Amino acid sequence: EAGVTQFPSHSVIEKGQTVTLRCDPISGHDNLYWYRRVMGKEIKFLLHFVKESKQDESGMPNNRFLAERTGGTYSTLKVQPAELEDSGVYFCASSPLTDTQYFGPGTRLTVL
Amino acid sequence: KQEVTQIPAALSVPEGENLVLNCSFTDSAIYNLQWFRQDPGKGLTSLLLIQSSQREQTSGRLNASLDKSSGRSTLYIAASQPGDSATYLCAVRGSYIPTFGRGTSLIVHP
């Protein structure tokens, strides 16, 4: 069974540009989560989808971040415009219920 | 607000040693606690999940204990091997959203 996949693995962009991260959850998992780890800090929750609906987006830092999950399958996280402090590793996780979450390898975002 | 602390932040040991990694949390009203392993460039791999009603979980050379009343968990690694080198993360769940510690970076040298 394929695990959670994320694309790209690395992204380097300049301040002010737009970047879109993608997450493909494990097939059949209704729950999808986004997390972020900024250098030197702990992993922090960003938001949670149940199918295509946003269940909780309390962790989204500001309105420059937009997450979507059209059709309840893959999800995208867009940062527009990117700022220096957005640099970090963005993790996606999925779960069939709200218990054990399976994490993807993460996307390392560097904003110059 | 839940806060999770992991001690030590980094650890370097010779192969064969038995290790204890510590995780403490401030709010004892938890649903479960999970230990993860992260290898460079890889995602998080779940090692052990302890429900709030449990005291410990074991998997191979790994044993995790949970003392909810004191807000502590330990991950015990027996007979460490170079392949155990990774970052170990503790995550506490009071709801469906886990609160992570910053991790312990472990290096086991031959």
Side-chain angles (χ1 to χ4, degrees), chain A residues 33 35 37 40-43 45 48 56 91 98-101 103-105, chain B residues 31-32 34 36 38 42-44 49 51 89 93 96-98 100-102:
Chain A
Y33 310 82
Y35 297 87
R37 184 169 194 172
K41 300 288 184 67
E42 62 275 10
I43 296 172
F45 167 82
H48 169 215
D56 183 342
F91 290 101
T98 54
D99 205 328
T100 302
Q101 297 180 16
F103 282 77
Chain B
Y31 178 60
N32 62 36
Q34 194 163 3
F36 293 89
Q38 185 181 15
K42 302 284 182 64
L44 279 64
L49 173 70
Q51 301 293 348
L89 295 161
R93 285 178 57 192
Y96 61 86
I97 301 172
F100 285 84
R102 295 189 182 187

PDB file of all heavy atoms in Angstrom, chain A residues 33 35 37 40-43 45 48 56 91 98-101 103-105, chain B residues 31-32 34 36 38 42-44 49 51 89 93 96-98 100-102:
ATOM      1  N   TYR A  33      -4.232  16.127   7.131  1.00  0.00           N
ATOM      2  CA  TYR A  33      -3.715  17.181   8.004  1.00  0.00           C
ATOM      3  C   TYR A  33      -2.479  17.805   7.370  1.00  0.00           C
ATOM      4  O   TYR A  33      -1.679  17.121   6.721  1.00  0.00           O
ATOM      5  CB  TYR A  33      -3.306  16.600   9.363  1.00  0.00           C
ATOM      6  CG  TYR A  33      -4.337  15.725  10.026  1.00  0.00           C
ATOM      7  CD1 TYR A  33      -4.482  14.390   9.666  1.00  0.00           C
ATOM      8  CD2 TYR A  33      -5.150  16.222  11.043  1.00  0.00           C
ATOM      9  CE1 TYR A  33      -5.415  13.573  10.278  1.00  0.00           C
ATOM     10  CE2 TYR A  33      -6.090  15.409  11.669  1.00  0.00           C
ATOM     11  CZ  TYR A  33      -6.218  14.093  11.280  1.00  0.00           C
ATOM     12  OH  TYR A  33      -7.142  13.293  11.900  1.00  0.00           O
ATOM     13  N   TYR A  35       0.920  20.109   8.556  1.00  0.00           N
ATOM     14  CA  TYR A  35       1.743  20.579   9.667  1.00  0.00           C
ATOM     15  C   TYR A  35       2.936  21.322   9.095  1.00  0.00           C
ATOM     16  O   TYR A  35       3.297  21.166   7.928  1.00  0.00           O
ATOM     17  CB  TYR A  35       2.275  19.403  10.505  1.00  0.00           C
ATOM     18  CG  TYR A  35       1.234  18.562  11.193  1.00  0.00           C
ATOM     19  CD1 TYR A  35       0.628  17.488  10.534  1.00  0.00           C
ATOM     20  CD2 TYR A  35       0.862  18.818  12.511  1.00  0.00           C
ATOM     21  CE1 TYR A  35      -0.316  16.706  11.181  1.00  0.00           C
ATOM     22  CE2 TYR A  35      -0.083  18.031  13.161  1.00  0.00           C
ATOM     23  CZ  TYR A  35      -0.667  16.980  12.478  1.00  0.00           C
ATOM     24  OH  TYR A  35      -1.608  16.199  13.114  1.00  0.00           O
ATOM     25  N   ARG A  37       7.076  22.593  10.253  1.00  0.00           N
ATOM     26  CA  ARG A  37       8.164  22.684  11.221  1.00  0.00           C
ATOM     27  C   ARG A  37       9.119  23.770  10.752  1.00  0.00           C
ATOM     28  O   ARG A  37       9.764  23.624   9.707  1.00  0.00           O
ATOM     29  CB  ARG A  37       8.913  21.365  11.369  1.00  0.00           C
ATOM     30  CG  ARG A  37       9.991  21.449  12.450  1.00  0.00           C
ATOM     31  CD  ARG A  37      10.568  20.116  12.805  1.00  0.00           C
ATOM     32  NE  ARG A  37      11.329  20.195  14.048  1.00  0.00           N
ATOM     33  CZ  ARG A  37      11.827  19.158  14.694  1.00  0.00           C
ATOM     34  NH1 ARG A  37      11.666  17.944  14.212  1.00  0.00           N
ATOM     35  NH2 ARG A  37      12.492  19.324  15.819  1.00  0.00           N
ATOM     36  N   GLY A  40      14.389  24.745  14.108  1.00  0.00           N
ATOM     37  CA  GLY A  40      14.630  24.912  15.530  1.00  0.00           C
ATOM     38  C   GLY A  40      13.386  24.864  16.397  1.00  0.00           C
ATOM     39  O   GLY A  40      13.488  24.943  17.622  1.00  0.00           O
ATOM     40  N   LYS A  41      12.229  24.739  15.772  1.00  0.00           N
ATOM     41  CA  LYS A  41      10.984  24.704  16.543  1.00  0.00           C
ATOM     42  C   LYS A  41      10.299  23.343  16.393  1.00  0.00           C
ATOM     43  O   LYS A  41      10.747  22.484  15.650  1.00  0.00           O
ATOM     44  CB  LYS A  41      10.029  25.804  16.044  1.00  0.00           C
ATOM     45  CG  LYS A  41      10.587  27.212  16.163  1.00  0.00           C
ATOM     46  CD  LYS A  41      10.620  27.660  17.592  1.00  0.00           C
ATOM     47  CE  LYS A  41      11.090  29.100  17.754  1.00  0.00           C
ATOM     48  NZ  LYS A  41      10.133  30.061  17.196  1.00  0.00           N
ATOM     49  N   GLU A  42       9.224  23.172  17.131  1.00  0.00           N
ATOM     50  CA  GLU A  42       8.507  21.917  17.044  1.00  0.00           C
ATOM     51  C   GLU A  42       7.542  21.916  15.859  1.00  0.00           C
ATOM     52  O   GLU A  42       7.215  22.969  15.304  1.00  0.00           O
ATOM     53  CB  GLU A  42       7.739  21.651  18.347  1.00  0.00           C
ATOM     54  CG  GLU A  42       6.688  22.679  18.677  1.00  0.00           C
ATOM     55  CD  GLU A  42       7.237  23.890  19.417  1.00  0.00           C
ATOM     56  OE1 GLU A  42       8.475  24.036  19.510  1.00  0.00           O
ATOM     57  OE2 GLU A  42       6.417  24.683  19.896  1.00  0.00           O
ATOM     58  N   ILE A  43       7.099  20.740  15.485  1.00  0.00           N
ATOM     59  CA  ILE A  43       6.097  20.594  14.435  1.00  0.00           C
ATOM     60  C   ILE A  43       4.783  21.162  14.950  1.00  0.00           C
ATOM     61  O   ILE A  43       4.339  20.842  16.059  1.00  0.00           O
ATOM     62  CB  ILE A  43       5.913  19.114  14.062  1.00  0.00           C
ATOM     63  CG1 ILE A  43       7.203  18.561  13.460  1.00  0.00           C
ATOM     64  CG2 ILE A  43       4.755  18.926  13.091  1.00  0.00           C
ATOM     65  CD1 ILE A  43       7.183  17.055  13.243  1.00  0.00           C
ATOM     66  N   PHE A  45       0.621  22.114  14.041  1.00  0.00           N
ATOM     67  CA  PHE A  45      -0.576  21.853  13.259  1.00  0.00           C
ATOM     68  C   PHE A  45      -0.985  23.096  12.476  1.00  0.00           C
ATOM     69  O   PHE A  45      -0.931  24.217  12.993  1.00  0.00           O
ATOM     70  CB  PHE A  45      -1.700  21.436  14.211  1.00  0.00           C
ATOM     71  CG  PHE A  45      -3.079  21.417  13.618  1.00  0.00           C
ATOM     72  CD1 PHE A  45      -3.514  20.330  12.870  1.00  0.00           C
ATOM     73  CD2 PHE A  45      -3.951  22.483  13.810  1.00  0.00           C
ATOM     74  CE1 PHE A  45      -4.791  20.308  12.349  1.00  0.00           C
ATOM     75  CE2 PHE A  45      -5.226  22.470  13.290  1.00  0.00           C
ATOM     76  CZ  PHE A  45      -5.656  21.373  12.555  1.00  0.00           C
ATOM     77  N   HIS A  48      -6.884  20.771   9.211  1.00  0.00           N
ATOM     78  CA  HIS A  48      -7.413  19.416   9.114  1.00  0.00           C
ATOM     79  C   HIS A  48      -8.605  19.408   8.164  1.00  0.00           C
ATOM     80  O   HIS A  48      -9.524  20.220   8.308  1.00  0.00           O
ATOM     81  CB  HIS A  48      -7.827  18.951  10.518  1.00  0.00           C
ATOM     82  CG  HIS A  48      -8.622  17.681  10.555  1.00  0.00           C
ATOM     83  ND1 HIS A  48      -9.628  17.459  11.473  1.00  0.00           N
ATOM     84  CD2 HIS A  48      -8.547  16.540   9.814  1.00  0.00           C
ATOM     85  CE1 HIS A  48     -10.144  16.259  11.297  1.00  0.00           C
ATOM     86  NE2 HIS A  48      -9.500  15.680  10.295  1.00  0.00           N
ATOM     87  N   ASP A  56     -10.846  22.073  10.693  1.00  0.00           N
ATOM     88  CA  ASP A  56     -10.171  22.943  11.661  1.00  0.00           C
ATOM     89  C   ASP A  56      -9.006  23.600  10.949  1.00  0.00           C
ATOM     90  O   ASP A  56      -8.130  22.912  10.459  1.00  0.00           O
ATOM     91  CB  ASP A  56      -9.689  22.112  12.849  1.00  0.00           C
ATOM     92  CG  ASP A  56      -9.039  22.944  13.948  1.00  0.00           C
ATOM     93  OD1 ASP A  56      -8.645  24.093  13.703  1.00  0.00           O
ATOM     94  OD2 ASP A  56      -8.933  22.427  15.077  1.00  0.00           O
ATOM     95  N   PHE A  91       4.669  19.192   6.436  1.00  0.00           N
ATOM     96  CA  PHE A  91       4.296  17.783   6.458  1.00  0.00           C
ATOM     97  C   PHE A  91       2.797  17.640   6.220  1.00  0.00           C
ATOM     98  O   PHE A  91       1.998  18.453   6.669  1.00  0.00           O
ATOM     99  CB  PHE A  91       4.619  17.160   7.812  1.00  0.00           C
ATOM    100  CG  PHE A  91       6.073  17.003   8.093  1.00  0.00           C
ATOM    101  CD1 PHE A  91       6.734  17.904   8.926  1.00  0.00           C
ATOM    102  CD2 PHE A  91       6.801  15.951   7.558  1.00  0.00           C
ATOM    103  CE1 PHE A  91       8.083  17.772   9.200  1.00  0.00           C
ATOM    104  CE2 PHE A  91       8.148  15.805   7.828  1.00  0.00           C
ATOM    105  CZ  PHE A  91       8.789  16.715   8.646  1.00  0.00           C
ATOM    106  N   THR A  98      -9.814   9.418  13.380  1.00  0.00           N
ATOM    107  CA  THR A  98      -9.019  10.490  13.987  1.00  0.00           C
ATOM    108  C   THR A  98      -8.055   9.913  15.012  1.00  0.00           C
ATOM    109  O   THR A  98      -7.904  10.431  16.088  1.00  0.00           O
ATOM    110  CB  THR A  98      -9.922  11.536  14.658  1.00  0.00           C
ATOM    111  OG1 THR A  98     -10.794  10.860  15.567  1.00  0.00           O
ATOM    112  CG2 THR A  98     -10.722  12.303  13.635  1.00  0.00           C
ATOM    113  N   ASP A  99      -7.386   8.815  14.626  1.00  0.00           N
ATOM    114  CA  ASP A  99      -6.431   8.197  15.538  1.00  0.00           C
ATOM    115  C   ASP A  99      -5.042   8.250  14.920  1.00  0.00           C
ATOM    116  O   ASP A  99      -4.527   9.326  14.674  1.00  0.00           O
ATOM    117  CB  ASP A  99      -6.850   6.773  15.894  1.00  0.00           C
ATOM    118  CG  ASP A  99      -6.296   6.332  17.229  1.00  0.00           C
ATOM    119  OD1 ASP A  99      -5.192   6.798  17.568  1.00  0.00           O
ATOM    120  OD2 ASP A  99      -6.931   5.544  17.921  1.00  0.00           O
ATOM    121  N   THR A 100      -4.428   7.141  14.676  1.00  0.00           N
ATOM    122  CA  THR A 100      -3.064   7.146  14.158  1.00  0.00           C
ATOM    123  C   THR A 100      -2.984   7.862  12.823  1.00  0.00           C
ATOM    124  O   THR A 100      -3.714   7.548  11.879  1.00  0.00           O
ATOM    125  CB  THR A 100      -2.565   5.707  13.982  1.00  0.00           C
ATOM    126  OG1 THR A 100      -2.623   5.037  15.237  1.00  0.00           O
ATOM    127  CG2 THR A 100      -1.133   5.698  13.468  1.00  0.00           C
ATOM    128  N   GLN A 101      -2.086   8.817  12.757  1.00  0.00           N
ATOM    129  CA  GLN A 101      -1.869   9.570  11.532  1.00  0.00           C
ATOM    130  C   GLN A 101      -0.606   9.067  10.857  1.00  0.00           C
ATOM    131  O   GLN A 101       0.395   8.796  11.508  1.00  0.00           O
ATOM    132  CB  GLN A 101      -1.736  11.063  11.844  1.00  0.00           C
ATOM    133  CG  GLN A 101      -2.999  11.655  12.446  1.00  0.00           C
ATOM    134  CD  GLN A 101      -2.863  13.133  12.748  1.00  0.00           C
ATOM    135  OE1 GLN A 101      -1.963  13.813  12.269  1.00  0.00           O
ATOM    136  NE2 GLN A 101      -3.768  13.657  13.560  1.00  0.00           N
ATOM    137  N   PHE A 103       2.318   9.948   8.249  1.00  0.00           N
ATOM    138  CA  PHE A 103       2.948  11.161   7.743  1.00  0.00           C
ATOM    139  C   PHE A 103       3.670  10.935   6.422  1.00  0.00           C
ATOM    140  O   PHE A 103       4.243   9.869   6.178  1.00  0.00           O
ATOM    141  CB  PHE A 103       3.953  11.697   8.766  1.00  0.00           C
ATOM    142  CG  PHE A 103       3.322  12.437   9.900  1.00  0.00           C
ATOM    143  CD1 PHE A 103       2.692  11.746  10.931  1.00  0.00           C
ATOM    144  CD2 PHE A 103       3.324  13.821   9.937  1.00  0.00           C
ATOM    145  CE1 PHE A 103       2.099  12.428  11.989  1.00  0.00           C
ATOM    146  CE2 PHE A 103       2.735  14.510  10.985  1.00  0.00           C
ATOM    147  CZ  PHE A 103       2.122  13.811  12.001  1.00  0.00           C
ATOM    148  N   GLY A 104       3.663  11.974   5.606  1.00  0.00           N
ATOM    149  CA  GLY A 104       4.449  11.990   4.394  1.00  0.00           C
ATOM    150  C   GLY A 104       5.869  12.458   4.677  1.00  0.00           C
ATOM    151  O   GLY A 104       6.184  12.829   5.807  1.00  0.00           O
ATOM    152  N   PRO A 105       6.726  12.443   3.656  1.00  0.00           N
ATOM    153  CA  PRO A 105       8.135  12.795   3.841  1.00  0.00           C
ATOM    154  C   PRO A 105       8.378  14.286   4.013  1.00  0.00           C
ATOM    155  O   PRO A 105       9.469  14.694   4.404  1.00  0.00           O
ATOM    156  CB  PRO A 105       8.803  12.287   2.561  1.00  0.00           C
ATOM    157  CG  PRO A 105       7.711  12.335   1.539  1.00  0.00           C
ATOM    158  CD  PRO A 105       6.447  12.011   2.277  1.00  0.00           C
TER     159      PRO A 105
ATOM    160  N   TYR B  31      -5.356  12.154  25.333  1.00  0.00           N
ATOM    161  CA  TYR B  31      -6.044  11.041  24.693  1.00  0.00           C
ATOM    162  C   TYR B  31      -5.066   9.898  24.448  1.00  0.00           C
ATOM    163  O   TYR B  31      -5.349   8.745  24.705  1.00  0.00           O
ATOM    164  CB  TYR B  31      -6.663  11.547  23.396  1.00  0.00           C
ATOM    165  CG  TYR B  31      -7.376  10.522  22.575  1.00  0.00           C
ATOM    166  CD1 TYR B  31      -8.470   9.825  23.072  1.00  0.00           C
ATOM    167  CD2 TYR B  31      -6.969  10.254  21.268  1.00  0.00           C
ATOM    168  CE1 TYR B  31      -9.122   8.885  22.310  1.00  0.00           C
ATOM    169  CE2 TYR B  31      -7.621   9.325  20.498  1.00  0.00           C
ATOM    170  CZ  TYR B  31      -8.696   8.639  21.025  1.00  0.00           C
ATOM    171  OH  TYR B  31      -9.343   7.716  20.258  1.00  0.00           O
ATOM    172  N   ASN B  32      -3.901  10.248  23.925  1.00  0.00           N
ATOM    173  CA  ASN B  32      -2.828   9.275  23.771  1.00  0.00           C
ATOM    174  C   ASN B  32      -1.498   9.978  23.584  1.00  0.00           C
ATOM    175  O   ASN B  32      -1.438  11.214  23.487  1.00  0.00           O
ATOM    176  CB  ASN B  32      -3.092   8.296  22.617  1.00  0.00           C
ATOM    177  CG  ASN B  32      -3.181   8.976  21.260  1.00  0.00           C
ATOM    178  OD1 ASN B  32      -2.471   9.926  20.989  1.00  0.00           O
ATOM    179  ND2 ASN B  32      -4.039   8.459  20.394  1.00  0.00           N
ATOM    180  N   GLN B  34       2.295   9.454  21.428  1.00  0.00           N
ATOM    181  CA  GLN B  34       2.911   8.677  20.358  1.00  0.00           C
ATOM    182  C   GLN B  34       4.377   9.063  20.221  1.00  0.00           C
ATOM    183  O   GLN B  34       4.731  10.239  20.307  1.00  0.00           O
ATOM    184  CB  GLN B  34       2.158   8.957  19.044  1.00  0.00           C
ATOM    185  CG  GLN B  34       2.437   8.008  17.919  1.00  0.00           C
ATOM    186  CD  GLN B  34       1.368   8.100  16.832  1.00  0.00           C
ATOM    187  OE1 GLN B  34       0.463   8.902  16.897  1.00  0.00           O
ATOM    188  NE2 GLN B  34       1.481   7.248  15.824  1.00  0.00           N
ATOM    189  N   PHE B  36       7.556   8.972  17.603  1.00  0.00           N
ATOM    190  CA  PHE B  36       7.889   8.880  16.185  1.00  0.00           C
ATOM    191  C   PHE B  36       9.400   8.874  16.010  1.00  0.00           C
ATOM    192  O   PHE B  36      10.153   9.374  16.848  1.00  0.00           O
ATOM    193  CB  PHE B  36       7.349  10.092  15.408  1.00  0.00           C
ATOM    194  CG  PHE B  36       5.862  10.196  15.313  1.00  0.00           C
ATOM    195  CD1 PHE B  36       5.139  10.865  16.285  1.00  0.00           C
ATOM    196  CD2 PHE B  36       5.184   9.649  14.240  1.00  0.00           C
ATOM    197  CE1 PHE B  36       3.763  10.991  16.189  1.00  0.00           C
ATOM    198  CE2 PHE B  36       3.806   9.770  14.131  1.00  0.00           C
ATOM    199  CZ  PHE B  36       3.106  10.443  15.113  1.00  0.00           C
ATOM    200  N   GLN B  38      12.173  10.131  12.978  1.00  0.00           N
ATOM    201  CA  GLN B  38      12.331  10.838  11.716  1.00  0.00           C
ATOM    202  C   GLN B  38      13.764  10.704  11.241  1.00  0.00           C
ATOM    203  O   GLN B  38      14.706  11.084  11.952  1.00  0.00           O
ATOM    204  CB  GLN B  38      11.969  12.316  11.840  1.00  0.00           C
ATOM    205  CG  GLN B  38      12.021  13.036  10.513  1.00  0.00           C
ATOM    206  CD  GLN B  38      11.700  14.503  10.608  1.00  0.00           C
ATOM    207  OE1 GLN B  38      11.691  15.089  11.690  1.00  0.00           O
ATOM    208  NE2 GLN B  38      11.422  15.113   9.476  1.00  0.00           N
ATOM    209  N   LYS B  42      13.157  12.240   5.415  1.00  0.00           N
ATOM    210  CA  LYS B  42      12.034  11.306   5.408  1.00  0.00           C
ATOM    211  C   LYS B  42      10.913  11.842   6.297  1.00  0.00           C
ATOM    212  O   LYS B  42      11.082  12.782   7.063  1.00  0.00           O
ATOM    213  CB  LYS B  42      12.488   9.937   5.947  1.00  0.00           C
ATOM    214  CG  LYS B  42      13.641   9.318   5.168  1.00  0.00           C
ATOM    215  CD  LYS B  42      13.194   8.741   3.858  1.00  0.00           C
ATOM    216  CE  LYS B  42      14.319   8.074   3.099  1.00  0.00           C
ATOM    217  NZ  LYS B  42      14.849   6.895   3.829  1.00  0.00           N
ATOM    218  N   GLY B  43       9.759  11.192   6.178  1.00  0.00           N
ATOM    219  CA  GLY B  43       8.639  11.573   7.019  1.00  0.00           C
ATOM    220  C   GLY B  43       8.766  10.981   8.409  1.00  0.00           C
ATOM    221  O   GLY B  43       9.786  10.408   8.760  1.00  0.00           O
ATOM    222  N   LEU B  44       7.714  11.144   9.178  1.00  0.00           N
ATOM    223  CA  LEU B  44       7.695  10.598  10.525  1.00  0.00           C
ATOM    224  C   LEU B  44       7.179   9.161  10.490  1.00  0.00           C
ATOM    225  O   LEU B  44       6.145   8.883   9.887  1.00  0.00           O
ATOM    226  CB  LEU B  44       6.774  11.424  11.419  1.00  0.00           C
ATOM    227  CG  LEU B  44       7.328  12.725  11.996  1.00  0.00           C
ATOM    228  CD1 LEU B  44       7.655  13.726  10.920  1.00  0.00           C
ATOM    229  CD2 LEU B  44       6.368  13.318  12.992  1.00  0.00           C
ATOM    230  N   LEU B  49       2.431   3.782  20.109  1.00  0.00           N
ATOM    231  CA  LEU B  49       1.284   4.611  20.483  1.00  0.00           C
ATOM    232  C   LEU B  49       0.759   4.088  21.807  1.00  0.00           C
ATOM    233  O   LEU B  49       0.451   2.894  21.926  1.00  0.00           O
ATOM    234  CB  LEU B  49       0.202   4.531  19.417  1.00  0.00           C
ATOM    235  CG  LEU B  49      -1.137   5.201  19.727  1.00  0.00           C
ATOM    236  CD1 LEU B  49      -0.979   6.712  19.742  1.00  0.00           C
ATOM    237  CD2 LEU B  49      -2.198   4.794  18.714  1.00  0.00           C
ATOM    238  N   GLN B  51      -2.186   4.578  24.567  1.00  0.00           N
ATOM    239  CA  GLN B  51      -3.459   5.210  24.908  1.00  0.00           C
ATOM    240  C   GLN B  51      -3.397   5.698  26.360  1.00  0.00           C
ATOM    241  O   GLN B  51      -2.603   5.208  27.157  1.00  0.00           O
ATOM    242  CB  GLN B  51      -4.607   4.206  24.731  1.00  0.00           C
ATOM    243  CG  GLN B  51      -4.744   3.649  23.326  1.00  0.00           C
ATOM    244  CD  GLN B  51      -5.159   4.695  22.304  1.00  0.00           C
ATOM    245  OE1 GLN B  51      -5.558   5.813  22.635  1.00  0.00           O
ATOM    246  NE2 GLN B  51      -5.056   4.338  21.028  1.00  0.00           N
ATOM    247  N   LEU B  89      10.707  11.873  18.098  1.00  0.00           N
ATOM    248  CA  LEU B  89       9.728  12.889  18.464  1.00  0.00           C
ATOM    249  C   LEU B  89       8.622  12.281  19.308  1.00  0.00           C
ATOM    250  O   LEU B  89       8.171  11.161  19.059  1.00  0.00           O
ATOM    251  CB  LEU B  89       9.101  13.505  17.208  1.00  0.00           C
ATOM    252  CG  LEU B  89      10.055  14.290  16.307  1.00  0.00           C
ATOM    253  CD1 LEU B  89       9.459  14.444  14.918  1.00  0.00           C
ATOM    254  CD2 LEU B  89      10.335  15.652  16.888  1.00  0.00           C
ATOM    255  N   ARG B  93      -1.615  13.909  22.370  1.00  0.00           N
ATOM    256  CA  ARG B  93      -2.913  14.313  21.822  1.00  0.00           C
ATOM    257  C   ARG B  93      -3.942  14.479  22.921  1.00  0.00           C
ATOM    258  O   ARG B  93      -4.223  13.548  23.669  1.00  0.00           O
ATOM    259  CB  ARG B  93      -3.403  13.290  20.805  1.00  0.00           C
ATOM    260  CG  ARG B  93      -2.676  13.384  19.493  1.00  0.00           C
ATOM    261  CD  ARG B  93      -3.150  12.342  18.521  1.00  0.00           C
ATOM    262  NE  ARG B  93      -4.585  12.441  18.308  1.00  0.00           N
ATOM    263  CZ  ARG B  93      -5.282  11.499  17.692  1.00  0.00           C
ATOM    264  NH1 ARG B  93      -4.705  10.414  17.262  1.00  0.00           N
ATOM    265  NH2 ARG B  93      -6.580  11.650  17.499  1.00  0.00           N
ATOM    266  N   TYR B  96      -7.785  15.483  18.478  1.00  0.00           N
ATOM    267  CA  TYR B  96      -7.208  14.811  17.320  1.00  0.00           C
ATOM    268  C   TYR B  96      -5.949  15.521  16.845  1.00  0.00           C
ATOM    269  O   TYR B  96      -5.262  15.046  15.958  1.00  0.00           O
ATOM    270  CB  TYR B  96      -8.234  14.734  16.183  1.00  0.00           C
ATOM    271  CG  TYR B  96      -8.693  16.091  15.689  1.00  0.00           C
ATOM    272  CD1 TYR B  96      -7.988  16.770  14.716  1.00  0.00           C
ATOM    273  CD2 TYR B  96      -9.822  16.692  16.233  1.00  0.00           C
ATOM    274  CE1 TYR B  96      -8.385  18.013  14.286  1.00  0.00           C
ATOM    275  CE2 TYR B  96     -10.225  17.937  15.816  1.00  0.00           C
ATOM    276  CZ  TYR B  96      -9.507  18.592  14.833  1.00  0.00           C
ATOM    277  OH  TYR B  96      -9.914  19.823  14.417  1.00  0.00           O
ATOM    278  N   ILE B  97      -5.655  16.679  17.446  1.00  0.00           N
ATOM    279  CA  ILE B  97      -4.476  17.441  17.022  1.00  0.00           C
ATOM    280  C   ILE B  97      -3.340  17.151  17.976  1.00  0.00           C
ATOM    281  O   ILE B  97      -3.429  17.462  19.168  1.00  0.00           O
ATOM    282  CB  ILE B  97      -4.770  18.945  17.021  1.00  0.00           C
ATOM    283  CG1 ILE B  97      -5.934  19.248  16.073  1.00  0.00           C
ATOM    284  CG2 ILE B  97      -3.532  19.728  16.622  1.00  0.00           C
ATOM    285  CD1 ILE B  97      -6.405  20.674  16.163  1.00  0.00           C
ATOM    286  N   PRO B  98      -2.258  16.576  17.490  1.00  0.00           N
ATOM    287  CA  PRO B  98      -1.132  16.299  18.387  1.00  0.00           C
ATOM    288  C   PRO B  98      -0.289  17.543  18.639  1.00  0.00           C
ATOM    289  O   PRO B  98      -0.167  18.406  17.770  1.00  0.00           O
ATOM    290  CB  PRO B  98      -0.329  15.249  17.628  1.00  0.00           C
ATOM    291  CG  PRO B  98      -0.638  15.490  16.191  1.00  0.00           C
ATOM    292  CD  PRO B  98      -2.034  16.034  16.146  1.00  0.00           C
ATOM    293  N   PHE B 100       3.563  18.411  19.446  1.00  0.00           N
ATOM    294  CA  PHE B 100       4.858  17.763  19.330  1.00  0.00           C
ATOM    295  C   PHE B 100       5.906  18.417  20.223  1.00  0.00           C
ATOM    296  O   PHE B 100       5.867  19.625  20.473  1.00  0.00           O
ATOM    297  CB  PHE B 100       5.361  17.845  17.883  1.00  0.00           C
ATOM    298  CG  PHE B 100       4.680  16.921  16.926  1.00  0.00           C
ATOM    299  CD1 PHE B 100       3.481  17.280  16.329  1.00  0.00           C
ATOM    300  CD2 PHE B 100       5.234  15.686  16.614  1.00  0.00           C
ATOM    301  CE1 PHE B 100       2.839  16.439  15.443  1.00  0.00           C
ATOM    302  CE2 PHE B 100       4.608  14.830  15.725  1.00  0.00           C
ATOM    303  CZ  PHE B 100       3.414  15.198  15.140  1.00  0.00           C
ATOM    304  N   GLY B 101       6.864  17.610  20.643  1.00  0.00           N
ATOM    305  CA  GLY B 101       8.078  18.140  21.227  1.00  0.00           C
ATOM    306  C   GLY B 101       9.069  18.445  20.110  1.00  0.00           C
ATOM    307  O   GLY B 101       8.806  18.164  18.942  1.00  0.00           O
ATOM    308  N   ARG B 102      10.213  19.035  20.480  1.00  0.00           N
ATOM    309  CA  ARG B 102      11.196  19.390  19.464  1.00  0.00           C
ATOM    310  C   ARG B 102      12.088  18.216  19.073  1.00  0.00           C
ATOM    311  O   ARG B 102      12.847  18.313  18.109  1.00  0.00           O
ATOM    312  CB  ARG B 102      12.054  20.563  19.937  1.00  0.00           C
ATOM    313  CG  ARG B 102      11.252  21.827  20.116  1.00  0.00           C
ATOM    314  CD  ARG B 102      12.135  23.024  20.375  1.00  0.00           C
ATOM    315  NE  ARG B 102      11.305  24.205  20.593  1.00  0.00           N
ATOM    316  CZ  ARG B 102      11.793  25.431  20.720  1.00  0.00           C
ATOM    317  NH1 ARG B 102      13.088  25.643  20.647  1.00  0.00           N
ATOM    318  NH2 ARG B 102      10.976  26.454  20.918  1.00  0.00           N
TER     319      ARG B 102
END
